[in-house]
Amino acid sequence: MLSAQLKSYLAEMNMSATELQQKQLIGFVEMLNKWNKAYNLTSVRDPEQMLIRHVMDSLTVSPYLEGQRFIDVGTGPGLPGIPLAIMNPDKQFVLLDSLGKRIRFQKQVQFELKINNITSIESRVEAYNPDIKFDGVLSRAFASIQDMLSWCHHLPTEKGTFYALKGQLNQQELDEMPTGFSLVETIILHVPKLDEQRHLLKIAKQ
């Protein structure tokens, strides 16, 4: 059931995935559903809705990623980082979250589904100071743009990009963007079977 839906959604989004990638994406939904009963990782309870609201919602960003190294801040159970890592095996993803149970889940996903391009780190974002900076900083339902930029300003390379996944756009939030940053592009995203607004904001350091 889920695999047929996944195939249909990928086709609708003009995305191609190998058999292995499709198995990993479905495996991720199944593990999220199983762990969710005990650990309450997401408010979404239905696997079909998890596929739409978590996996497909995350994958809409995939065509816009530029570079090799990405960090997903406030990743929760690994969103959007794990679906993006599955679809982009040539790129590296660091998944950052401050809650241990979420990190344990991510590590189990990595182990069971054999995803080799993710690294899970338990830390608050302000306290995480990596030696090598990132081409892209991803956040999905993490914080206001202002908070994201002030907390994560130290993470991208000089030419790195912030990728903020948003629902409805808040003009006041955009107007209050901290100095030293500029909005490069606003992209309207379309998620199959989801009748809600989705936007991707690409922000750069000036």
Side-chain angles (χ1 to χ4, degrees), residues 9-152:
Y9 299 153
L10 286 169
E12 196 176 321
M13 290 166 66
N14 290 323
M15 297 181 90
S16 58
T18 64
E19 284 297 319
L20 174 61
Q21 287 170 324
Q22 291 177 49
K23 274 189 182 150
Q24 287 173 320
L25 290 169
I26 296 297
F28 175 61
V29 171
E30 289 171 348
M31 288 186 70
L32 187 56
N33 183 44
K34 181 177 152 192
W35 276 61
N36 204 36
K37 293 178 172 75
Y39 290 94
N40 199 23
L41 298 167
T42 165
S43 59
V44 180
R45 299 288 173 209
D46 174 54
E48 290 179 36
Q49 285 298 310
M50 286 177 179
L51 181 61
I52 295 165
R53 292 185 165 275
H54 289 331
V55 172
M56 306 319 294
D57 192 48
S58 296
L59 291 184
T60 53
V61 187
S62 189
Y64 305 102
L65 297 181
E66 295 169 31
Q68 289 303 307
R69 274 177 55 77
F70 296 86
I71 182 166
D72 178 8
V73 291
T75 182
L79 298 161
I82 288 176
L84 289 173
I86 289 170
M87 289 296 278
N88 297 276
D90 57 321
K91 302 182 191 301
Q92 294 295 317
F93 292 83
V94 168
L95 311 177
L96 191 75
D97 202 276
S98 57
L99 266 191
K101 66 177 182 180
R102 295 171 181 163
I103 297 297
R104 283 193 295 279
F105 170 70
Q106 293 167 27
K107 288 186 170 174
Q108 193 61 29
V109 167
Q110 179 181 18
F111 173 71
E112 285 191 30
L113 302 181
K114 298 179 173 53
I115 304 169
N116 303 319
N117 57 332
I118 58 174
T119 306
S120 298
I121 292 177
E122 184 180 344
S123 171
R124 292 180 60 82
V125 64
E126 312 93 293
Y128 178 62
N129 204 0
D131 294 333
I132 305 172
K133 305 298 184 185
F134 297 92
D135 300 315
V137 178
L138 293 149
S139 87
R140 174 183 183 266
F142 167 60
S144 69
I145 292 169
Q146 197 164 11
D147 285 346
M148 179 198 181
L149 296 175
S150 60
W151 294 342
C152 305

